[in-house]
Amino acid sequence: MAATPAPLTSLDHTGLRPEDMAVFLDFDGTLADLAERPDQVSVPGETLHALQRLKRSLDGALAIITGRPIDDIDKFLAPLVLPVAGVHGLERRRAGGERMAAPVDQEKFGLLRERLQSFADANPGLLLEVKQGSMALHYRQRPDLAEACAAAVGAALTGLDGFHVLHGKMVIEVKGGTATKADALAAFMREEPFRGRVPFFAGDDVTDEDAFHEIARLSGISIKVGRGTTAALFRTDGTASFRHWLGSLADSFDAAK
Ligand SMILES: [Mg+2]
């Protein structure tokens, strides 16, 4: 049973040294506010600037771990380019720039896509987002269809093995592989410039809980953004308070250099 997380304001970041830290951040609901459609989000300029400063003071040990494709993150963070684990760990770009992706059965993937697309087309307001190795059925504009979406995903998976279903905030994700955000975090931690540092991870959704457990295993620092049961050590109210805290972390790391 996880203990109640402490308020993030009780984490004294003046005691943290940038050369000892590896910072991993979820994107949606953590850096960016959630929006009606996934393409409508943005990161405030002030936060982009804080990320730029963090990258510099951490000597590059700053990465995004997200459910989105890597290319989406590049678009939202431009001109900043960071190491990214995308699609909940199915694809990853290392600090050196090399990209890797988990193999997916394209025939099964195509069949699942067809089935879910026809369900989405028949129900206005639903959005099927297709990514590398995964697809996400968004029902933020049709919360009344939550149960129907879950049933449709179950039906669409009939006869198709090897897929994993994740329930997020107003979205059901179907992944064609078993890699998780925890696997992505562990993989980064085996590589430069992350290796040997204390990992820090902030996220807002159920899919971030795997990574919080990995952080606990590595004796790192975990932050839950927003409400909900969590294994994280600290909690903050929402994206605005987290972005504010991240800005003050960047200030304190700059001062430490
Ligand atoms: Mg999130």
Side-chain angles (χ1 to χ4, degrees), residues 197-246:
R197 294 175 177 236
V198 177
F200 167 107
F201 177 66
D204 71 302
D205 211 343
V206 285
T207 56
D208 297 309
E209 294 296 322
D210 288 330
F212 292 149
H213 287 288
E214 182 65 17
I215 287 283
R217 206 179 62 76
L218 298 168
S219 304
I221 299 169
S222 49
I223 297 174
K224 166 82 174 181
V225 179
R227 303 158 73 121
T229 310
T230 185
L233 294 178
F234 296 92
R235 186 197 300 276
T236 187
D237 287 353
T239 48
S241 64
F242 179 68
R243 287 190 298 255
H244 177 79
W245 187 87
L246 201 64

Side-chain angles (χ1 to χ4, degrees), residues 25-230:
L25 302 169
D26 169 50
F27 184 76
D28 294 278
T30 298
L31 287 176
D33 293 337
L34 297 173
E36 285 290 305
R37 291 174 52 96
D39 56 354
Q40 289 171 335
V41 308
S42 65
V43 178
E46 197 183 6
T47 302
L48 286 177
H49 186 56
L51 291 172
Q52 248 147 9
R53 292 189 294 137
L54 281 170
K55 181 184 179 182
R56 199 167 49 230
S57 56
L58 291 160
D59 293 319
L62 171 66
I64 303 293
I65 299 183
T66 176
R68 287 194 186 253
I70 294 172
D71 295 340
D72 267 21
I73 297 301
D74 285 350
K75 193 176 66 185
F76 292 121
L77 297 186
L80 183 62
V81 179
L82 294 177
V84 179
V87 200
H88 304 282
L90 286 190
E91 59 175 19
R92 200 162 68 87
R93 181 176 62 211
R94 293 169 153 162
E98 315 92 291
R99 283 173 84 135
M100 54 200 74
V104 171
D105 184 326
Q106 290 304 328
E107 198 179 321
K108 288 182 188 167
F109 192 82
L111 192 54
L112 180 66
R113 176 186 184 159
E114 242 170 62
R115 291 172 178 175
L116 286 181
Q117 190 63 60
S118 54
F119 175 72
D121 290 346
N123 292 281
L126 297 184
L127 174 70
L128 185 69
E129 182 192 7
V130 178
K131 316 182 224 185
Q132 161 66 39
S134 175
M135 58 197 92
L137 183 60
H138 296 267
Y139 55 90
R140 184 163 293 274
Q141 295 179 55
R142 290 298 304 274
D144 56 305
L145 292 180
E147 282 179 26
C149 287
V153 168
L157 284 170
T158 306
L160 302 178
D161 55 359
F163 288 94
H164 296 261
V165 180
L166 303 172
H167 292 267
K169 292 179 179 167
M170 303 287 179
V171 61
I172 303 172
E173 183 103 21
V174 190
K175 286 169 67 183
T178 56
T180 66
K181 286 188 168 189
D183 297 323
L185 196 148
F188 278 128
M189 287 301 293
R190 287 190 291 271
E191 299 169 359
E192 296 298 339
F194 305 97
R195 190 185 2 225
R197 294 175 177 236
V198 177
F200 167 107
F201 177 66
D204 71 302
D205 211 343
V206 285
T207 56
D208 297 309
E209 294 296 322
D210 288 330
F212 292 149
H213 287 288
E214 182 65 17
I215 287 283
R217 206 179 62 76
L218 298 168
S219 304
I221 299 169
S222 49
I223 297 174
K224 166 82 174 181
V225 179
R227 303 158 73 121
T229 310
T230 185

